[in-house]
């Protein structure tokens, strides 16, 4: 690890020329140890950011310093935001969930192995150097199938951000040039020609709050995650879904995919197929087809297109028929007993 200076609040006040922010440290410290990131000044945000969770006018306002564990266990999240609870629980081990903050978790970096090992060429780590993930013989099995570019095919690895995008979340930020609100779907950028610029945040801009609408569709939700092993693994494909039903007619819905996109992948195309329609098996399968219609899988990732369609259809049908899984069912699903 390259030597660095650790500063503390109030040096962490948003500042375009300021230090790199450290929240829970579960991504930054990891990448510093690998020499992937080498900041010379790091500001620890613990004690500086709000950790409060409050319901205000039909929205849940969450301080960015709140841990993943604290948000997952909040009574309002348990009762009215099941997809958020599921995504947080399935995201990581208890140790990580107790350290990682929700603001930091939105900004976690890709798990592309060619990014995380400095002997490989990577446009995200070193702009313009190339992309060894796209060379002959590379292992691309965990890469993205939606939103890729010639410069980068890495997928966004997180779970919580997928549920957050599905449910129409927004973030509030602080910056010396002005605070602002950014929708969850606008926070992450597509890689295009600049994969090293992952979000729309300006240098020194700090996420201060996360805001989640509390809607009937959000209260009837699920985050369904498929992975290589039954715990502590990143999604091969996942679906964050929410349905408001009038009988078997969908009055509103939320759909986003994880594990397959270069960013958390909300699908307005799939939502449009279902909204206002009967939630028949055929309609749900059409929505799943629509969600993956733009897939452009790199060689070795083709399986993810089918997997993501089936994951989404499974999640929607199960939610239609049985509602959100309780914790016992979620954990049974997590360990694979109901995936035949
Ligand atoms: Fe880097 Fe993206 Fe290529 Fe991975 S896919 S090596 S992150 S440029």
């Amino acid at each position: 690890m390259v030597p660095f200076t650790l500063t503390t609040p109030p040096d962490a006040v948003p500042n375009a020329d300021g230090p790199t922010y450290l929240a829970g440290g579960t991504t930054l410290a990891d990448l510093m140890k690998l020499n992937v990131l080498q900041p010379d000044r790091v500001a620890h945000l613990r004690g500086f950011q709000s950790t409060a969770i409050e319901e205000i006018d039909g929205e849940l306002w969450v301080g960015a310093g709140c841990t993943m564990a604290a948000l997952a266990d909040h009574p309002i999240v348990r009762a009215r935001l099941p997809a958020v609870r599921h995504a947080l629980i399935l995201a990581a081990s208890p140790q990580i969930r107790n350290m990682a903050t929700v603001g930091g978790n939105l900004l976690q970096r890709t798990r592309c192995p060619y990014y995380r090992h400095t002997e490989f060429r990577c446009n995200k780590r070193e702009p313009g150097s190339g992309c060894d993930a796209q060379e002959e013989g590379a292992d691309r099995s965990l890469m993205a199938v939606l939103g890729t570019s010639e410069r980068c095919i890495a997928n966004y690895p997180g779970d919580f951000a997928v549920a957050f995008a599905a449910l129409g979340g927004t973030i509030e930020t602080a910056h010396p040039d002005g605070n602002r609100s950014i929708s969850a779907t606008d926070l992450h950028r597509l890689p295009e020609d600049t994969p090293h610029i992952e979000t729309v945040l300006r240098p020194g801009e700090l996420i201060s709050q996360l805001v989640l609408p509390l809607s009937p569709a959000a209260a009837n939700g699920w985050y369904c995650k498929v992975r290589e092993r039954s715990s502590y693994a990143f999604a091969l494909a996942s679906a964050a879904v929410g349905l408001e039903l009038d009988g078997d007619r969908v009055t509103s819905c939320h759909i986003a995919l994880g594990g397959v996109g270069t960013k958390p992948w909300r699908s307005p195309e799939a939502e449009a197929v279902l909204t206002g329609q009967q939630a028949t098996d055929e309609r749900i399968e059409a929505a799943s087809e629509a969600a993956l219609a733009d897939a452009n899988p790199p060689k070795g990732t083709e399986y993810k297109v089918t997997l993501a369609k089936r994951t989404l259809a499974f999640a929607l049908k199960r939610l239609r028929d049985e509602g959100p899984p309780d914790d016992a069912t979620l954990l049974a699903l997590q360990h694979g007993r109901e995936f035949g």
Side-chain angles (χ1 to χ4, degrees), residues 52-63 66 68 71-72 74 76-78 80-85 87-88 102-103 106 159-172 182-185 209-219 240 254 266:
I53 303 173
E54 289 182 275
E55 181 179 356
I56 302 172
D57 296 335
E59 297 175 326
L60 195 68
W61 284 67
V62 183
C66 175
M68 295 171 72
L71 183 60
H74 193 276
I76 292 177
V77 174
R78 284 175 175 270
R80 297 164 67 185
L81 293 167
V84 170
R85 175 168 167 79
L88 290 164
V102 290
L106 292 179
D159 298 299
F160 168 59
V162 178
F164 190 60
L167 300 180
T170 56
I171 60 166
E172 300 292 315
I182 302 171
S183 84
T185 48
Q209 296 278 337
L210 285 68
V211 186
L212 278 155
L214 295 165
S215 66
H254 301 292
R266 187 164 183 178

Side-chain angles (χ1 to χ4, degrees), residues 110-116 120-126 129-134 140 143-144 149-155 191 195-196 198:
T110 183
R111 305 298 294 191
C112 172
Y114 303 94
Y115 169 76
R116 293 173 60 84
F120 294 113
R121 296 178 308 147
C122 171
N123 288 321
K124 191 185 282 293
R125 176 171 25 79
E126 193 177 335
S129 63
C131 173
D132 274 348
Q134 298 187 66
R140 286 179 285 271
M143 300 296 173
S149 75
E150 288 184 4
R151 295 290 177 106
C152 182
I153 58 173
N155 76 327
H196 59 293
E198 296 185 344

